[in-house]
Amino acid sequence: MNISTLLRLLPLGALSAATLCGQSYLNLSFEAASGGVPTGWYLYGPDFQIAIDTTTASDGAQSLRISSLTADASQFGDAVESLPAGPAIGKTFHLSGYIKTQAANGSAELWANAFDAQGNDLAFQNLGSAAPSGTTGWQRYDLHIAVPAGAASVNFGVLLGGTGTAWFDNLSIDVGGQPYFPNPTTAQVQWIRANAFPFTSLDPDADFTELM
């Protein structure tokens, strides 16, 4: 089974709800982490170590490192994000990012696919022959995928197939050169500030007065 087929089988329900936010909260440069793993990303790959690396980065202070733990060239390690497809339907979803590799006997990928509400795969794209392998320095790569009508979600991520190590950093997404989620207007921010009700406690055992 090839990498493209395996990606199509990733469970949609396992994707983090934290990724359904604006781009500034997507942690695309892997600067936010907890316990050595990136915040907001779904990680897959039992035969791989997928972790934050604070020793090398193309942007900021750290990157995401995926390293093979076995000699099985048919396996892959993956980090996945998911977004609602609405802003991209009928348009071209653009994913870019920086990749660095060491002794990668396979490929280090950017990839994206679109699913409908039933989990059927409508479109898929990866770097293919443009994906780096062997040992390479930091370099930017770009991927484009047309998102068809009927799409409910756009999934995207980074992946190492085979053996070796790959680092990923400074990812970016847009739709036709425009932000996936535009920044809020001044009026929208003012409305939220005027109507929001702040909680004074996050204690699950607190009474329900504020919720009421």
Side-chain angles (χ1 to χ4, degrees):
M1 185 179 294
N2 61 33
I3 289 173
S4 300
T5 304
L6 287 167
L7 284 174
R8 296 166 195 263
L9 298 178
L10 281 173
L12 291 177
L15 298 177
S16 169
T19 64
L20 302 180
C21 304
Q23 179 160 336
S24 61
Y25 300 97
L26 288 175
N27 195 22
L28 298 180
S29 284
F30 307 106
E31 293 301 301
S34 177
V37 298
T39 303
W41 288 81
Y42 167 69
L43 308 180
Y44 173 84
D47 296 318
F48 289 78
Q49 181 186 62
I50 307 175
I52 291 296
D53 192 328
T54 59
T55 66
T56 183
S58 75
D59 173 71
Q62 54 198 33
S63 61
L64 179 69
R65 183 185 69 244
I66 303 179
S67 299
S68 173
L69 299 176
T70 73
D72 188 345
S74 68
Q75 300 300 310
F76 73 97
D78 197 18
V80 186
E81 287 268 21
S82 181
L83 293 169
I89 290 177
K91 302 176 183 177
T92 298
F93 177 85
H94 171 218
L95 170 65
S96 69
Y98 287 77
I99 304 175
K100 172 184 173 181
T101 61
Q102 181 176 327
N105 183 22
S107 61
E109 294 277 5
L110 302 179
W111 63 268
N113 57 1
F115 289 91
D116 65 16
Q118 290 72 47
N120 298 308
D121 190 7
L122 304 180
F124 173 81
Q125 187 62 259
N126 63 1
L127 294 177
S129 61
S133 61
T135 299
T136 63
W138 286 112
Q139 184 173 336
R140 173 176 164 161
Y141 297 85
D142 291 89
L143 176 149
H144 299 82
I145 181 173
V147 179
S153 65
V154 175
N155 299 345
F156 66 94
V158 299
L159 174 153
L160 173 65
T163 60
T165 301
W167 292 263
F168 303 88
D169 199 8
N170 197 17
L171 305 185
S172 177
I173 61 172
D174 64 76
V175 178
Q178 300 300 314
Y180 202 90
F181 294 107
N183 291 327
T185 65
T186 300
Q188 290 170 332
V189 172
Q190 290 174 343
W191 186 93
I192 292 172
R193 287 175 174 166
N195 290 276
F197 192 100
F199 291 165
T200 58
S201 173
L202 298 178
D203 183 358
D205 295 322
D207 64 47
F208 295 139
T209 302
E210 290 180 344
L211 289 177
M212 295 294 288

